[in-house]
Amino acid sequence: MLLKNASILVIDDDPDVLTAVRLLLKTQAKDVVTEKNPENLPAILSSRKYDLILLDMNFKSAINTGNEGLYWLRKIKELKSEASVIMITAYGDIDLAVRSLKDGATDFVVKPWHNEKLVETISGALAHKDRTPSQKKTSLELNASIDLLGESDAMNDIFYKVEKIAPTDANILILGENGTGKELIAQAIHRQSLRANKPFVKVDVGALTESLFESELFGHKKGAFTDAREDRAGRFESASGGTLFLDEIGNISLQQQAKLLSVLQNRQVTRLGSNDAVPVDIRLICATNVPLQELANENRFRKDLIYRINTVEIFVPPLRKRGNDIVLLARHFSKIYTDKYLKPAIDFDERAMEKLKQYHFPGNIRELQYTIERAVIMADGPVLQSKDLIFSPIETLPPPDLEMDEMKLSDIEKNTILKVIEKYNGNITKAARELGITRMALYRRLSKYDI
């Protein structure tokens, strides 16, 4: 929608702000309505529709909670208003403004603002509101060879949220099943952040034992333990100035969580064997395949740590719920592997595409990638057929939407792992690749099933 056709409602208890916005927009928008008291919102929204609402984050009202804007944002959503909402915030409330994106705000502006920036933000919000799928981004570029691809509504929402939160230092929690691309999203956030020229350090914290956890994250001094032959900086120090990505955060113990929380609160680490605290400056991104509802169980995860790592959350949908993204990704991977293996361009026939779209991909994008790579390697012609697409042995698992009844999924998974390991004569790397999981994930399953 164009700004000149828009009806805009401005809600702020500062009359100077209302006057300034009205004067700025009156010649550019269809009409501008201002209101000092947010408690009149229900009556205002019931009388007419607005295309966009500018909403202050803090009011001198009876609520006076310090985040009144979030309260009224939720009220606007409860009233089923279709208006895009832009939050107006002071610099000190940027974290709250970022949190408002999670609650449904389209964007936020920091006051005092430049008039050109405010108009640009409003125009962008209106354009985003009416953008069709074909007009939306289909990728976030990470580097010359890796893209985060998608054209589904869910992925477009992720792209937009990444663009908004990347320039801030807000802590991010990325949720989603294994193989959905959580690490790629973390990299995208880093590359679009103000820390892009600083380190991006990844740690698979779920794979760290109790004894290695502190040494790996916080570092150690020479002689701190038997194998500590020299001083070593931990991952927090290595990432200082940049971004620290903690993968599989949902799998660490309560004792590890307590140590991590202390560092995040104090923003300093103490190496094992030392009494000297070292300040660290990091932007924290965490990821887990554990649903947020399970993390909320305090027997499993500390709530104070959840709040600390989860200023904004991003949910990455499984591939089976991303519609035509499967086709987009399949073509993307076919191009990568025809180039890699020096083969001519390969297309998919209709039945092959239908097979891809109907499959439930328990291994998500990782499984699709390996499926296409195998197909390209084995292809005899320029067109892949349905028979060329051989899915991972884990395809014996039923789609998650089906009724499980008395099926013992653990037995199926264990037998599948045994068959694949036998196929590759105990080669864990090749077995993990066939199964569409990481080596560390396979080791955990071997331990789980006592194989």
Side-chain angles (χ1 to χ4, degrees):
M1 171 179 286
L2 297 176
L3 176 55
K4 65 180 181 180
N5 298 325
S7 296
I8 298 175
L9 173 64
V10 188
I11 307 171
D12 196 306
D13 60 359
D14 185 340
D16 292 336
V17 170
L18 296 180
T19 300
V21 175
R22 184 173 62 250
L23 292 174
L24 173 64
L25 298 179
K26 71 176 184 177
T27 59
Q28 303 193 51
K30 179 181 176 181
D31 63 322
V32 180
V33 175
T34 59
E35 173 59 49
K36 288 181 58 177
N37 187 354
E39 294 180 16
N40 292 331
L41 255 174
I44 293 172
L45 294 180
S46 65
S47 63
R48 59 170 294 185
K49 292 183 178 180
Y50 292 89
D51 300 304
L52 185 136
I53 299 174
L54 279 168
L55 176 64
D56 191 22
M57 288 292 297
N58 286 286
F59 293 92
K60 300 167 186 173
S61 65
I63 300 170
N64 197 27
T65 61
N67 60 353
E68 295 89 344
L70 296 180
Y71 173 87
W72 290 112
L73 172 62
R74 288 190 286 269
K75 281 293 183 184
I76 290 171
K77 297 303 176 182
E78 289 173 11
L79 293 168
K80 308 298 182 184
S81 172
E82 297 180 0
S84 297
V85 180
I86 295 176
M87 310 301 292
I88 303 172
T89 183
Y91 182 79
D93 289 329
I94 286 181
D95 283 347
L96 278 176
V98 172
R99 184 175 291 276
S100 74
L101 298 179
K102 183 166 60 175
D103 287 349
T106 301
D107 206 338
F108 62 88
V109 292
V110 179
K111 56 184 178 183
W113 57 72
H114 294 290
N115 286 342
E116 297 82 2
K117 176 61 177 176
L118 179 59
V119 172
E120 178 186 334
T121 302
I122 292 172
S123 299
L126 291 169
H128 176 77
K129 180 180 180 182
D130 287 348
R131 199 176 297 167
T132 64
S134 62
Q135 295 171 317
K136 295 180 181 178
K137 277 192 173 186
T138 59
S139 71
L140 281 175
E141 184 179 343
L142 301 179
N143 56 46
S145 60
I146 302 175
D147 284 344
L148 181 64
L149 300 174
E151 60 184 14
S152 61
D153 288 344
M155 291 307 296
N156 275 300
D157 286 343
I158 288 175
F159 296 156
Y160 186 72
K161 185 173 282 190
V162 167
E163 287 182 350
K164 300 311 300 180
I165 63 180
T168 75
D169 265 349
N171 293 336
I172 312 298
L173 177 61
I174 306 174
L175 302 160
E177 296 178 7
N178 285 332
T180 52
K182 297 189 291 295
E183 183 178 351
L184 292 183
I185 291 174
Q187 291 178 19
I189 293 170
H190 174 72
R191 287 180 64 85
Q192 295 191 38
S193 75
L194 302 179
R195 299 170 178 261
N197 295 325
K198 299 296 183 179
F200 175 86
V201 177
K202 176 193 174 184
V203 188
D204 184 352
V205 290
L208 297 178
T209 63
E210 292 282 351
S211 59
L212 286 177
F213 185 83
E214 285 188 76
S215 172
E216 187 69 20
L217 290 184
F218 313 141
H220 61 254
K221 299 288 286 183
K222 180 179 178 181
F225 49 88
T226 303
D227 292 327
R229 298 183 177 90
E230 59 184 2
D231 290 357
R232 181 177 181 274
R235 300 300 183 93
F236 269 85
E237 286 185 69
S238 299
S240 193
T243 301
L244 181 63
F245 175 50
L246 301 183
D247 200 8
E248 297 197 27
I249 189 75
N251 295 332
I252 65 175
S253 69
L254 289 171
Q255 182 179 1
Q256 292 169 332
Q257 291 170 34
K259 295 172 182 175
L260 179 59
L261 179 63
S262 176
V263 170
L264 294 177
Q265 287 174 332
N266 299 321
R267 291 288 165 168
Q268 56 186 23
V269 297
T270 303
R271 296 185 185 183
L272 284 176
S274 171
N275 294 320
D276 298 326
V278 179
V280 290
D281 170 27
I282 57 138
R283 199 270 180 81
L284 182 67
I285 303 177
C286 298
T288 181
N289 61 358
V290 179
L292 194 58
Q293 295 86 344
E294 291 186 30
L295 287 181
N297 181 351
E298 288 199 88
N299 292 323
R300 174 166 187 166
F301 210 86
R302 297 175 61 116
K303 282 192 176 180
D304 47 0
L305 181 56
I306 292 179
Y307 288 125
R308 178 68 61 174
I309 67 177
N310 183 27
T311 303
V312 179
E313 66 194 41
I314 296 177
F315 174 71
V316 189
L319 184 56
R320 62 184 174 273
K321 294 186 178 180
R322 287 178 52 181
N324 203 55
D325 284 357
I326 294 174
V327 174
L328 185 71
L329 288 163
R331 296 192 186 281
H332 174 69
F333 290 134
S334 71
K335 174 67 168 59
I336 288 177
Y337 292 116
T338 51
D339 290 347
K340 178 178 179 179
Y341 298 115
L342 304 178
K343 291 202 167 194
I346 288 179
D347 201 358
F348 298 80
D349 71 12
E350 187 176 340
R351 292 184 62 188
M353 276 301 179
E354 195 60 32
K355 183 175 182 178
L356 287 174
K357 289 190 284 188
Q358 289 183 356
Y359 182 58
H360 61 283
F361 286 102
N364 289 297
I365 298 172
R366 188 179 296 129
E367 183 181 2
L368 172 63
Q369 180 178 353
Y370 295 151
T371 297
I372 300 303
E373 182 178 11
R374 284 195 295 268
V376 168
I377 291 172
M378 301 303 294
D380 293 323
V383 178
L384 291 179
Q385 301 176 2
S386 176
K387 62 182 178 61
D388 297 320
L389 300 173
I390 302 173
F391 298 121
S392 163
I394 292 182
E395 71 172 299
T396 54
L397 294 176
D401 294 335
L402 296 181
E403 191 68 39
M404 300 304 180
D405 294 328
E406 297 181 359
M407 294 185 66
K408 295 184 177 179
L409 298 183
S410 58
D411 290 342
I412 295 175
E413 185 176 52
K414 179 179 179 180
N415 291 336
T416 299
I417 290 172
L418 287 170
K419 288 178 182 178
V420 175
I421 289 179
E422 183 179 354
K423 174 181 176 181
Y424 288 105
N425 297 316
N427 188 311
I428 296 299
T429 299
K430 291 182 178 179
R433 187 180 182 86
E434 174 81 9
L435 291 165
I437 58 179
T438 64
R439 289 174 68 252
M440 193 58 66
L442 180 53
Y443 278 125
R444 285 197 295 272
R445 284 168 171 79
L446 294 179
S447 175
K448 174 182 176 181
Y449 296 123
D450 197 23
I451 297 176

